[in-house]
Every structure is written in structure tokens, then in C-alpha cells.
Amino acid sequence: MFQSNGYGAMGGAKMRYQTVDVASQVEGASPHRLVGILFEELMKATEIMLAAMRAGNRAKMIDKQARAANILLALETSLDFRNGGEIALNLARVYRESRRLVQLGGRTNDPAQVETARGYLSEIVDAWEQIG
């Protein structure tokens, strides 16, 4: 018997598969790759959040909003302020502002806020990929 999780039986199976897929990527990954995985998951969460907002799917929007906010918090708290200097401080500001925009966008149902956050973040993601 399937449990209802708001995604239907197939959606639940897909979610479990994606969780296993992410877990397998994380296992044995370098610290640089781990941050890359967080960025990928963050961008995916905000993309799905925007689609859910536009489709009027509040439950999915809230789920992806929480995921994005949690990833942003994890990125911010993993910064090394002692060795990272000004770069770490600037990244913390961007992560904090992006988290605020994602939360505000969800609360006010304003996709523009989330799109602004995605714009800030895509620059960091692009730079991170150039390093890797």
C-alpha cells in the first residue's frame, strides 16, 4: 500500500530515487564536488519552486522553498571566515540575501523575488564551476 505524500505513488518513487541518486553522488566526493552538488540541488529547488508558484501548487512550492532555504543556510554556515576573508564575508551576504528573497517570494507568492535570488546564485555557481 502506498502512502500519500502529495506527490502520488510515482512521484514518491521518483523522490526516493532522486534521494538515493544524490546520496550516491555525495559518497566519496571531494569537498569541492560536495559544494557543487549543493549548488545543483539549490538551483533545482528554486527552479521547481518557481514552476510550482506559477502552477499554483502551494504544497510543492513550500517544500522546495524550505529545501532552498536549508541549502543556503548550509552553504553559509560552511564558510571558513578565518581563512576565507572578504570572499567568505561576501558569499555569506549573498547566501543570506538569497535566502531572504526565497522566503519573501514564497510568502508573498512573488516569483520575481526568487528569480532575483537565482540571478545572484547563478553567478556564484558559474564561478564555482570555472574553479572545478
Side-chain angles (χ1 to χ4, degrees):
M1 171 156 283
F2 293 107
Q3 291 182 334
S4 176
N5 61 6
Y7 297 100
M10 290 305 291
K14 183 178 177 184
M15 257 178 69
R16 287 188 295 277
Y17 174 77
Q18 288 172 340
T19 301
V20 169
D21 182 50
V22 171
S24 66
Q25 290 179 47
V26 168
E27 196 172 310
S30 69
H32 181 85
R33 180 66 192 125
L34 289 173
V35 173
I37 292 168
L38 284 175
F39 283 144
E40 290 167 11
E41 291 299 309
L42 173 60
M43 297 308 280
K44 191 183 315 177
T46 55
E47 182 181 336
I48 295 169
M49 180 186 173
L50 284 166
M53 290 172 90
R54 292 184 178 113
N57 186 338
R58 187 106 177 116
K60 188 168 215 161
M61 186 280 298
I62 290 169
D63 178 55
K64 295 308 173 185
Q65 176 188 27
R67 178 137 174 88
N70 287 335
I71 293 170
L72 285 163
L73 185 60
L75 287 166
E76 182 182 346
T77 58
S78 70
L79 292 170
D80 181 353
F81 293 101
R82 184 176 315 167
N83 295 314
E86 192 68 27
I87 292 172
L89 288 172
N90 289 334
L91 286 171
R93 287 183 192 112
V94 172
Y95 295 150
R96 199 171 303 125
E97 177 63 6
S98 296
R99 192 170 69 244
R100 186 189 72 77
L101 290 169
V102 164
Q103 292 170 333
L104 177 64
R107 190 169 49 253
T108 61
N109 200 36
D110 183 2
Q113 302 293 331
V114 182
E115 289 168 353
T116 299
R118 279 181 59 85
Y120 297 156
L121 296 166
S122 68
E123 292 180 29
I124 295 170
V125 171
D126 291 344
W128 191 258
E129 289 172 355
Q130 296 294 320
I131 294 170

